[in-house]
Amino acid sequence: MSERENITKTGRFAGLSGLKDTLAPLARRISWVKPIPQSDLRYTILPPYEIPKIIVITGLIVENRGGRPAHNVCINIRYDKVGTSMIHHMQVVSEGDYVLRGGGEQHRFAVIRLREMAPDSKVFVYMATSDATLPQVTVTSFERPPARK
């Protein structure tokens, strides 16, 4: 019997396929490193609701679907279409604190800032306008780099 046949029969050398079979139980026991959760900001524009000949209500939902807080969130709402009327009334409902940085009522835009948006939190924005034009929306967030020492 050759040395190679002897190694194969005794199991001391089994080649790559044998190595894979040998390591499979060990691989199942290893705890894989979980990815670091990130913030995931999403928005949904609600369909307009018209009160005939009076006003149109449009809504927006912004939510953090990620596993980490989103910092320095900026919600930009803009009605760019020519002839679009301005926002007559606006209401923001949020679990966290927010600041209206620009626009809002009597304007065609609104800029809303939140310092932090916790995971699974939501911000609701309701706007009353005179036509059913949907707004253009952008939602951004950023992390400030740590301060240098």
Side-chain angles (χ1 to χ4, degrees):
M1 180 182 311
S2 72
E3 184 178 333
R4 185 177 185 113
E5 290 173 352
N6 185 26
I7 291 172
T8 304
K9 286 186 177 185
T10 60
R12 287 187 289 160
F13 179 79
L16 292 178
S17 61
L19 182 63
K20 180 181 173 186
D21 295 337
T22 305
L23 293 177
L26 178 62
R28 283 191 285 270
R29 286 184 270 156
I30 293 175
S31 174
W32 297 103
V33 177
K34 294 181 182 178
I36 298 171
Q38 298 293 323
S39 60
D40 182 18
L41 294 174
R42 305 281 179 105
Y43 70 88
T44 304
I45 299 174
L46 301 175
Y49 173 72
E50 182 177 2
I51 300 171
K53 298 182 183 179
I54 298 176
I55 205 154
V56 177
I57 307 296
T58 303
L60 170 71
I61 301 172
V62 179
E63 54 190 327
N64 181 4
R65 294 182 183 174
R68 267 185 112 170
H71 297 281
N72 302 306
V73 177
C74 183
I75 304 168
N76 290 302
I77 304 165
R78 181 171 300 283
Y79 289 94
D80 280 338
K81 189 174 176 182
V82 175
T84 302
S85 67
M86 61 188 75
I87 299 170
H88 297 291
H89 181 72
M90 187 171 97
Q91 181 180 7
V92 180
V93 179
S94 172
E95 296 169 359
D97 296 334
Y98 68 90
V99 176
L100 181 63
R101 299 291 292 178
E105 294 180 9
Q106 306 306 313
H107 291 87
R108 287 189 166 91
F109 71 97
V111 179
I112 302 166
R113 298 285 304 242
L114 292 94
R115 186 171 295 229
E116 181 177 281
M117 222 175 141
D120 299 323
S121 65
K122 296 179 183 177
V123 175
F124 300 91
V125 182
Y126 301 103
M127 296 157 291
T129 62
S130 60
D131 61 16
T133 303
L134 294 177
Q136 294 179 350
V137 177
T138 57
V139 178
T140 58
S141 72
F142 68 93
E143 293 284 335
R144 292 181 190 254
R148 294 186 203 178
K149 292 184 179 182

